[in-house]
Amino acid sequence: MKTSKSILVVEDDDEIRSSLVELLRIEGFDVEQASNGIEALEKLRVGTSPSLIILDLTMPVADGYFFRKEQLRDSN
């Protein structure tokens, strides 16, 4: 059985997001990224299915708490 090594990084700070993405790719992970909760939700709604989501809780536009609430609503 193949284990998925995909990660979604949700972070509004470009430098932090880029650094995380680069480090995770060096470690062999498939990484997608989003700059806010809305963008992350859109990725999930079109079929992105990460094994792990690294989520910044304090972001403008849509913070991590909003993202998680909507993600749970979508899964019902």
Side-chain angles (χ1 to χ4, degrees):
M1 178 167 73
K2 182 179 176 187
T3 303
S4 175
K5 293 178 65 177
S6 65
I7 298 175
L8 174 59
V9 175
V10 187
E11 168 62 61
D12 64 309
D13 185 298
D14 291 337
E15 289 182 28
I16 293 171
R17 188 176 63 252
S18 294
S19 295
L20 281 169
V21 168
E22 181 179 347
L23 176 64
L24 292 166
R25 285 185 176 152
I26 288 170
E27 291 298 320
F29 293 95
D30 296 323
V31 184
E32 291 208 40
Q33 53 189 306
S35 60
N36 61 61
I38 298 290
E39 188 178 324
L41 286 168
E42 289 171 357
K43 287 183 178 287
L44 295 178
R45 288 172 179 158
V46 298
T48 297
S49 184
S51 299
L52 175 71
I53 298 173
I54 298 175
L55 179 63
D56 181 359
L57 294 178
T58 57
M59 299 177 286
V61 181
D63 65 19
Y65 298 105
F66 172 84
F67 166 82
R68 186 66 178 131
K69 184 174 110 187
E70 291 298 307
Q71 181 192 25
L72 289 170
R73 184 179 301 166
D74 285 354
S75 67
N76 289 332

